[in-house]
Amino acid sequence: MREIELKALAKINLGLDVLGRRENGYHDVRMIMQSIYLYDDVKIERKTAPGIELSSNLYFLPTGDGNIAYKAAQMLMDEFEIEEGVRITLNKHIPVAAGMAGGSSNAAAVLFGMNRLFGLRLSQEELMERGVKLGADVPYCIMRGTVLAEGIGEKLKVLPSMPKCTVLIAKPSVSVSTKLVYEALDSSDIIAHPNIDGLMEALEKGSLRGIASCMGNVLEEVTVPMYPVIEEIKQVMKDCGALNAMMSGSGPTVFGLFENKMAARNAQSRIREKALAKQVYVTNIHNARRD
C-alpha cells in the first residue's frame, strides 16, 4: 500500500460539564460526544525521500510541527524508526477553531492511516494511548460514535448509538481559543450543570426528544457573553423548529437537532440571510465506527 485516503469526522458535544481544575491546569470534564457526517479529507502517501510534507487547502494553517497532524506522523515515525517519508494532504471542510475537534480528528486520521500504511499493527487502544499525548480529543476521534468522556477527556465509554436525525451546523465568523475559554471558567461558580445522566438514559431509550431536552454546555457561560451571535444563532434554529440548539465544545459553532430536514434547510437560509454565519451546513449523525 502506497497511499491511503480517510475521512476525518467532526464531533459535537451533546453535553459538556466541567467538574473542577487540576493543579496542572487541565480540567476534569464529563461530556458526551457524537460524530457527525461533516469531515476533512486526509490523504497520506509514502515517499522514498525521508521527512514529512504537509499541505492544506487553507493558506493560514501551519504546515510544519505547529500542525497536530504533522506531530502525529512524526510521533510514529520516531517511535518505529520509519526511514521513508510521507506526504500528507488535508482538504479541510470542518470549521477551524470552532469546537468541533477538526485538528484532533486530522491527527487521529494520520495515526490510523500511518498504522495501516506501514503495517505497524497497533490496536485501537494502542493508537488511543499515543493520541492522548497529542491532545485530549484525539483518542475520541480515533474511536468515534456516541461516547461518554471523563477525566480530561481521555477516559472513554461507548454509549448506545444516538438516533438518526438532521443536524444543522453554523459557525459564525469568529474564532475561539479553547485554552482561553477554559482559563476563564471558574468551575466553582457553575450553578446549572448539564444533565449528563439524563442524556445517557435518553440514549438508552433511543429518545431523540429526551436527548434534546437534556442537552447542556457549561462553556456557554464564558463564550456566549463574549460572542452574543452564538445566542442569536441558537434562537433562529429553535424558531425554525430545532428540538434544541447549543454551542459545541468551547464554540463558537452552534448545532441544532431537527426531526425535519426541510426545517433545518429553512433555518440554514435564515441564518445566512441574517448574516449570522457563512459556514452553515445541513448534515446528520454518523454512528459507524472504524474497522
Side-chain angles (χ1 to χ4, degrees):
M1 186 186 291
R2 298 299 302 175
E3 65 179 57
I4 188 168
E5 295 186 32
L6 300 161
K7 290 180 172 64
L9 299 181
K11 64 83 183 165
I12 54 175
N13 296 92
L14 300 174
L16 194 164
D17 198 6
V18 177
L19 308 179
R21 185 170 182 163
R22 299 183 180 185
E23 289 183 5
N24 62 7
Y26 281 96
H27 287 77
D28 280 299
V29 297
R30 193 163 184 248
M31 55 190 179
I32 295 177
M33 299 197 282
Q34 174 64 50
S35 305
I36 61 171
Y37 203 65
L38 174 63
Y39 58 86
D40 295 338
D41 294 296
V42 180
K43 183 178 181 180
I44 311 168
E45 304 167 87
R46 292 169 67 157
K47 60 187 184 76
T48 51
I52 302 165
E53 291 179 22
L54 188 147
S55 62
S56 166
N57 61 321
L58 300 182
Y59 72 90
F60 54 84
L61 283 188
T63 55
D65 61 8
N67 189 300
I68 190 172
Y70 185 105
K71 290 178 182 176
Q74 191 70 65
M75 172 189 283
L76 293 184
M77 292 177 83
D78 290 346
E79 180 181 353
F80 292 93
E81 299 179 347
I82 297 170
E83 294 182 0
E84 280 186 77
V86 291
R87 185 178 294 108
I88 301 168
T89 307
L90 304 178
N91 192 8
K92 299 282 292 177
H93 305 287
I94 302 170
V96 176
M100 301 191 76
S104 295
S105 194
N106 293 166
V110 169
L111 291 176
F112 183 87
M114 293 277 291
N115 189 42
R116 285 282 182 86
L117 211 52
F118 292 97
L120 305 181
R121 298 185 178 181
L122 295 170
S123 66
Q124 184 183 76
E125 188 175 334
E126 288 170 328
L127 287 174
M128 289 164 64
E129 287 170 359
R130 287 156 177 80
V132 75
K133 296 173 185 175
L134 297 165
D137 282 343
V138 178
Y140 166 72
C141 291
I142 292 170
M143 179 183 282
R144 310 201 299 200
T146 314
V147 172
L148 172 70
E150 297 179 293
I152 61 168
E154 86 289 6
K155 296 177 183 175
L156 304 176
K157 177 186 176 184
V158 176
L159 298 174
S161 294
M162 183 175 174
K164 290 287 186 183
C165 66
T166 299
V167 183
L168 180 61
I169 301 294
K171 194 262 180 182
S173 56
V174 295
S175 295
V176 173
S177 164
T178 299
K179 185 173 182 286
L180 291 179
V181 170
Y182 273 99
E183 285 177 352
L185 181 75
D186 187 342
S187 55
S188 63
D189 286 345
I190 298 170
I191 298 169
H193 288 270
N195 188 359
I196 303 295
D197 290 335
L199 273 167
M200 289 194 288
E201 287 174 21
L203 285 164
E204 286 279 356
K205 294 175 183 175
S207 170
L208 182 61
R209 288 178 174 268
I211 291 165
S213 69
C214 292
M215 282 166 37
N217 180 350
V218 297
L219 298 183
E220 287 190 339
E221 295 181 19
V222 176
T223 312
V224 172
M226 293 165 59
Y227 303 106
V229 66
I230 294 169
E231 194 62 46
E232 290 183 67
I233 293 171
K234 286 172 60 178
Q235 194 57 53
V236 170
M237 290 186 182
K238 291 174 184 177
D239 290 345
C240 290
L243 296 178
N244 204 348
M246 189 175 81
M247 185 180 83
S248 183
S250 54
T253 299
V254 176
F255 70 92
L257 303 183
F258 290 80
E259 292 177 303
N260 183 303
K261 192 170 185 178
M262 288 306 297
R265 292 278 184 205
N266 182 37
Q268 179 186 40
S269 298
R270 290 271 297 276
I271 289 165
R272 285 179 172 160
E273 286 166 8
K274 290 173 172 284
L276 299 175
K278 289 182 180 177
Q279 292 177 285
V280 194
Y281 308 103
V282 175
T283 184
N284 55 312
I285 298 299
H286 187 86
N287 286 318
R289 303 189 187 282
R290 293 191 190 275
D291 54 10

